[in-house]
């Protein structure tokens, strides 16, 4: 028995979500009285792998193969399942992000392992194995029992935090001999906005809605985001109108995010919008309408015009530094 | 070329969620059912691909695992433009089970492209599409925001943190799609609704299949405390509170 944590890297680097994953699985393995094995796929330098030791990764298995730098879910699932078999792992955990969503279901089928996604805390019970997850887009929670001997879960962002627990790291290399026929998808090109804070990872998000009245008014949103080191986001009509790109749309049909701090400027707080932001630690609403439903879910509120309040707020943030 | 779109039948997004029987069951009284929003976009895109004369798509069908009460949702998919609807007659209680049912059908009735939505807006499992790919041993691309055909190849865009990747994939393929895939979902027109009555809605017996998970109980979120209001003339107080009270700055 052991716990496997799949530590995804992005261009050879880990993120806060990886540290949270290691912290979570370190704790889970201790509770299950078993070993934690952290698996890394694609080229990652030894020093970067060792950084996971700070959160309790004692044993790392690295598949340091450039051929696997790009995510091919079929290949990744094969490697992780193979390692799980060799190591007799019965609990496989990864972050609930693009890669976790693509890989975990495949492992579930390969290993006939029951799966639960976007788990919100440590298991509610270990035997039977029961986890808590969000359902109905944040409107409720469900306790899901996984009955199969092997279990696969993905964990939601900010479900546990990261806990320092420095250990000595041992790194083993693993070469899985894969069938070349598995690599049936080919990345032709990649576009990245490197100057912007990535919305899914951001600790602070400044989001704006139709209350901005025109795409030309977004300067005040961007300035506040800049002052806070925040990512920008928007409500659905704003992206539907083409005022902002689709990648900024948050809510039930867009991105579901869980930052520490979320600003909703000129957003009414429709149920479908709130579904995507309700796991934020702190919500600030700015709206001219004191009756706007967003104040019902916000922690702090300002009744006022976005065009006046946002620049003042930017100034106050800059002054406080 | 044939495209199959997986359809999930979900409560309308404005539904006030309630539970019954000691919080162990979703209370569906008075609930309006809709096609899962992502599946609706996937169907829209599949139909656009079929209508584009440059492609050789000759069938767009939909598949769903559920009981007879979900037929209205499938009729809506037919009214939007799907050629055929298949309903596997079973209760969709576990993602592994649902994906296994659809894969069993696909093994007998192959399709070239299978579309599935990134998640179902009820149980938010995010897993059926990728599970089908694995059951079928197909390639799969997730987080897909755009799909185009180029002969027998498929050109897709996949969202990655802070950007996107352009991908070429071979058939057969499962594409798990999200926002961006189509601009707006199609709404059935009167003619479509009339035609849907004559289109085939085939009911298929379920295959023997295990469930690996079960629902134990539900909880509703705790009520949030009151919102603290700050005067628009004193925004520096907000910054102060975010720093020292909420400790998020
Ligand atoms: C199936 C479905 C899925 C959906 N999914 C999503 C989703 O994922 N995300 C999403 O966001 N929406 C979603 N919606 C749409 C949702 O129902 C709302 O229509 C949308 O969130 C409203 O966006 P908004 O708050 O920007 O605009 P509005 O509702 O128009 O609100 C604008 C707000 O701005 C305020 N305002 C106006 N002027 C000013 C000013 N000068 N200063 C300050 N405040 C001002 C107004 O008081 C108002 O509260 C979905 C809808 C459906 C049916």
């Amino acid at each position: 028995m052991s716990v496997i944590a799949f530590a995804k890297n992005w261009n050879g680097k880990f993120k806060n979500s990886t540290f949270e994953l290691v912290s979570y699985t370190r704790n889970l393995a201790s509770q299950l009285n078993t070993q934690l094995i952290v698996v890394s796929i694609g080229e990652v330098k030894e020093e970067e792998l060792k950084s996971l030791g700070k959160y309790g990764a004692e044993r790392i298995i690295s598949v340091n193969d450039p051929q696997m730098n790009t995510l091919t879910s079929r290949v990744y699932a094969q490697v992780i399942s193979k390692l799980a078999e060799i190591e007799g792992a019965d609990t496989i955990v990864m972050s609930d992000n693009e890669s976790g969503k693509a890989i975990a279901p495949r492992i579930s089928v390969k290993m006939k392992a029951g799966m639960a996604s976007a788990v919100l805390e440590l298991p509610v019970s270990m035997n039977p194995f029961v986890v808590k997850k969000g359902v109905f887009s944040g409107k409720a929670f469900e306790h899901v029992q996984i009955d199969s001997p092997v279990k696969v879960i993905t964990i939601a962002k900010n479900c546990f935090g990261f806990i320092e627990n420095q250990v000595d790291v041992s790194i083993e290399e693993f070469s899985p001999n894969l069938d070349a026929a598995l690599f049936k998808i080919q990345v032709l090109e990649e576009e990245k906005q490197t100057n912007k804070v990535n919305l899914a990872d951001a600790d602070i998000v400044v989001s704006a809605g139709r209350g901005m009245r025109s795409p030309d008014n977004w300067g005040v949103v961007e300035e506040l985001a800049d002052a806070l080191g925040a990512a920008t986001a928007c409500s659905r009509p704003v992206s539907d109108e083409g005022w902002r790109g689709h990648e900024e749309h948050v809510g039930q049909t867009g991105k579901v995010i869980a930052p520490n701090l979320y600003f909703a400027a000129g957003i009414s707080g429709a149920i479908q919008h709130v579904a995507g932001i309700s796991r934020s630690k702190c919500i600030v609403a700015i709206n001219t309408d004191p009756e706007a439903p967003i104040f019902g879910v916000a922690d702090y509120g300002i009744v006022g015009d976005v065009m006046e309040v946002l620049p003042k707020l930017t100034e106050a943030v800059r002054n406080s530094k | 070329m044939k495209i199959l779109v997986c359809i999930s039948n979900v409560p309308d997004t404005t539904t006030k969620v309630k539970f019954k029987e000691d919080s162990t069951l979703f209370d569906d009284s008075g609930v309006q059912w809709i096609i899962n929003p992502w599946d609706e976009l996937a169907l829209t895109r599949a139909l656009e691909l079929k209508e584009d004369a440059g492609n050789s798509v000759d069938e767009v069908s939909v598949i769903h695992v559920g009981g007879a009460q979900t037929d209205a949702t499938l009729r809506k998919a037919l009214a939007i433009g799907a050629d055929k609807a298949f309903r596997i007659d079973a209760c969709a209680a576990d993602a592994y089970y649902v994906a296994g049912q659809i894969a069993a059908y696909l093994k007998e009735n192959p399709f070239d492209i299978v579309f599935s939505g990134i998640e179902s807006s009820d149980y938010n499992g995010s897993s059926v599409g990728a599970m089908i790919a694995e059951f079928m041993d197909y390639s799969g691309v997730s987080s897909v925001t755009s799909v185009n055909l180029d002969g027998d190849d498929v050109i897709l865009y996949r969202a990655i943190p802070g950007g996107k990747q352009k991908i070429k994939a071979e058939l057969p393929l499962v594409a798990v799609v999200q926002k961006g895939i189509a601009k707006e979902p199609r709404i059935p027109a009167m003619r479509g609704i009339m035609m849907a009555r004559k289109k085939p809605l085939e009911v298929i017996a379920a295959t023997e299949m295990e469930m690996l998970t079960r629902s134990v109980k539900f909880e509703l979120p705790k009520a949030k405390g009151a919102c603290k209001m700050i005067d628009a003339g004193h925004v520096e107080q907000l910054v102060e509170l975010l720093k020292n009270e909420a400790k998020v700055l």
Side-chain angles (χ1 to χ4, degrees):
Chain A
M1 283 215 315
S2 54
V3 173
I4 283 188
F6 167 56
K8 169 87 168 83
N9 72 80
W10 289 265
N11 298 322
K13 294 273 180 263
F14 296 122
K15 293 194 204 174
N16 285 348
S17 61
T18 325
F19 305 144
E20 180 169 45
L21 172 76
V22 174
S23 306
Y24 180 100
T25 46
R26 172 67 268 156
N27 195 303
L28 181 64
S30 304
Q31 288 201 32
L32 290 166
N33 259 325
T34 131
Q35 187 193 184
L36 169 65
I37 304 163
V38 176
V39 175
S40 164
I41 303 179
E43 277 175 304
V44 181
K45 296 225 164 66
E46 191 181 317
E47 202 182 293
E48 186 70 11
L49 289 172
K50 283 200 165 146
S51 71
L52 300 179
K54 191 170 167 190
Y55 305 96
E58 273 161 352
R59 188 170 166 217
I60 297 177
I61 300 182
S62 168
V63 182
N64 209 16
D65 181 347
Q67 204 188 255
M68 283 182 227
N69 284 356
T70 311
L71 168 69
T72 307
S73 56
R74 215 173 178 188
V75 174
Y76 279 43
Q78 178 130 346
V79 172
I80 298 167
S81 307
K82 210 171 207 173
L83 278 169
E85 257 155 43
I86 295 171
E87 299 290 339
D90 57 2
T91 313
I92 302 167
V93 189
M94 53 194 83
S95 304
D96 179 56
N97 51 24
E98 283 95 339
S99 59
K101 279 186 170 54
I103 304 165
R106 285 195 178 257
I107 296 176
S108 162
V109 172
K110 261 191 197 312
M111 306 199 72
K112 215 173 179 189
M115 174 180 158
S117 59
V119 168
L120 294 169
E121 50 190 60
L122 280 172
V124 179
S125 113
M126 297 291 181
N127 193 10
F129 193 85
V130 179
V131 291
K132 179 172 163 180
K133 72 181 293 288
V135 288
F136 297 99
S137 308
K139 288 183 213 167
F141 305 108
E142 182 184 22
H143 290 213
V144 180
Q145 179 171 327
I146 304 182
D147 293 319
S148 49
V150 182
K151 293 134 182 106
V152 187
I153 61 173
T154 66
I155 59 168
K157 192 192 165 205
N158 274 347
C159 70
F160 191 72
F162 30 104
I163 296 173
E164 289 190 19
N165 179 7
Q166 186 70 51
V167 291
D168 288 332
V169 182
S170 85
I171 300 173
E172 298 150 50
E173 298 248 349
F174 177 70
S175 317
N177 294 327
L178 293 171
D179 181 358
L182 283 177
F183 292 85
K184 275 201 178 149
I185 72 162
Q186 191 191 337
V187 175
L188 304 175
E189 48 186 75
E190 189 168 305
E191 285 169 37
K192 265 195 163 164
Q193 292 173 307
T194 40
N195 54 335
K196 282 180 84 177
V197 181
N198 176 35
L199 180 52
D201 301 328
D203 288 327
I204 307 179
V205 173
V206 180
S207 185
R210 208 144 53 179
M212 298 299 300
R213 285 175 305 221
S214 156
D216 304 332
N217 290 337
W218 243 265
V220 293
V221 176
E222 275 165 355
E223 271 158 34
L224 176 59
D226 189 50
L228 290 162
T232 50
C234 68
S235 67
R236 172 163 147 177
V238 165
S239 75
D240 281 354
E241 292 289 337
W243 292 5
R244 302 292 288 180
H246 287 314
E247 66 288 349
E248 284 202 357
H249 162 193
V250 295
Q252 179 155 9
T253 48
K255 287 201 171 77
V256 175
I257 55 172
N260 291 332
L261 178 55
Y262 182 80
F263 288 87
I267 291 177
S268 59
I271 195 163
Q272 298 97 344
H273 185 84
V274 172
I277 60 153
S278 59
R279 285 191 58 243
S280 305
K281 270 196 201 130
C282 179
I283 298 176
V284 176
I286 301 144
N287 201 303
T288 40
D289 175 9
E291 302 294 317
I294 190 74
F295 289 118
V297 294
D299 300 281
Y300 299 100
I302 296 178
V303 175
D305 188 318
V306 279
M307 298 310 289
E308 284 163 27
V309 175
L310 293 185
K312 279 199 229 159
L313 206 47
T314 305
E315 200 193 313
V317 168
R318 292 222 164 101
N319 287 343
S320 77
K321 277 183 180 163
Chain B
M1 191 184 291
K2 290 166 67 177
I3 305 179
L4 185 66
V5 182
C6 303
I7 299 281
S8 174
N9 175 58
V10 299
D12 180 273
T13 53
T14 56
T15 304
K16 191 157 168 45
V17 172
K18 298 176 294 214
F19 300 100
K20 60 183 181 186
E21 293 183 28
D22 212 12
S23 291
T24 57
L25 270 183
F26 174 61
D27 183 352
D28 61 2
S29 57
V31 169
Q32 294 277 345
W33 297 90
I34 60 167
I35 303 177
N36 182 40
W38 292 276
D39 304 347
E40 205 175 22
L41 288 172
L43 173 59
T44 303
R45 184 61 194 149
L47 293 170
E48 287 167 1
L49 291 172
K50 185 180 167 205
E51 286 152 14
D52 183 339
N55 299 326
S56 54
V57 179
D58 33 43
E59 181 184 328
V60 171
S61 290
V62 295
I63 193 162
H64 167 70
V65 179
Q69 75 281 7
T70 61
D71 280 350
T73 297
L74 288 176
R75 284 276 169 226
K76 184 176 173 202
L78 291 170
I80 290 171
D83 295 304
K84 296 177 198 159
F86 308 107
R87 176 169 64 79
I88 299 174
D89 193 19
C91 172
D94 164 66
Y96 179 87
Y97 178 86
V98 170
Q101 295 296 337
I102 294 175
Y105 179 80
L106 270 173
K107 282 188 180 138
E108 300 299 320
N109 307 275
F111 277 74
D112 303 287
I113 304 181
V114 178
F115 277 150
S116 136
I118 179 84
E119 67 169 24
S120 187
S121 66
D122 48 5
Y123 295 99
N124 309 126
S126 299
S127 44
V128 168
M131 283 184 179
I132 294 172
E134 189 61 36
F135 271 119
M136 297 304 293
D137 204 14
Y138 282 3
S139 289
V141 184
S142 292
S143 312
V144 172
T145 57
S146 153
V147 181
N148 278 291
L149 301 177
D150 178 12
D152 279 342
D153 286 330
V154 188
I155 306 292
L156 313 104
Y157 279 94
R158 146 168 102 187
I160 54 168
K164 56 184 178 179
Q165 285 177 332
K166 184 176 183 181
I167 288 174
K168 184 164 105 175
E170 291 172 26
L171 300 174
L173 173 78
V174 176
V176 180
V177 307
Q178 63 187 44
K179 165 103 190 203
I181 185 80
K183 205 162 173 345
E184 262 179 44
R186 268 191 203 182
I187 295 163
M190 202 54 216
R191 184 158 166 271
I193 296 169
M194 302 292 288
M195 277 167 62
R197 291 194 193 137
K198 295 192 202 95
K199 286 183 181 172
L201 193 167
E202 200 180 311
V203 180
I204 296 154
T207 320
E208 193 66 41
M209 186 84 210
E210 265 175 82
M211 296 204 194
L212 305 179
T213 62
R214 75 178 88 169
S215 175
V216 180
K217 67 166 183 183
F218 295 95
E219 272 173 41
L220 289 169
K222 290 191 187 73
K224 204 152 178 172
C227 179
K228 208 176 241 184
M229 301 307 289
I230 292 110
D231 189 88
H234 294 284
V235 295
E236 67 288 349
Q237 288 177 359
L238 174 64
V239 176
E240 164 70 25
L241 288 166
L242 292 176
K243 266 196 171 153
N244 300 323
E245 189 178 75
K247 297 188 171 38
V248 286
L249 271 188

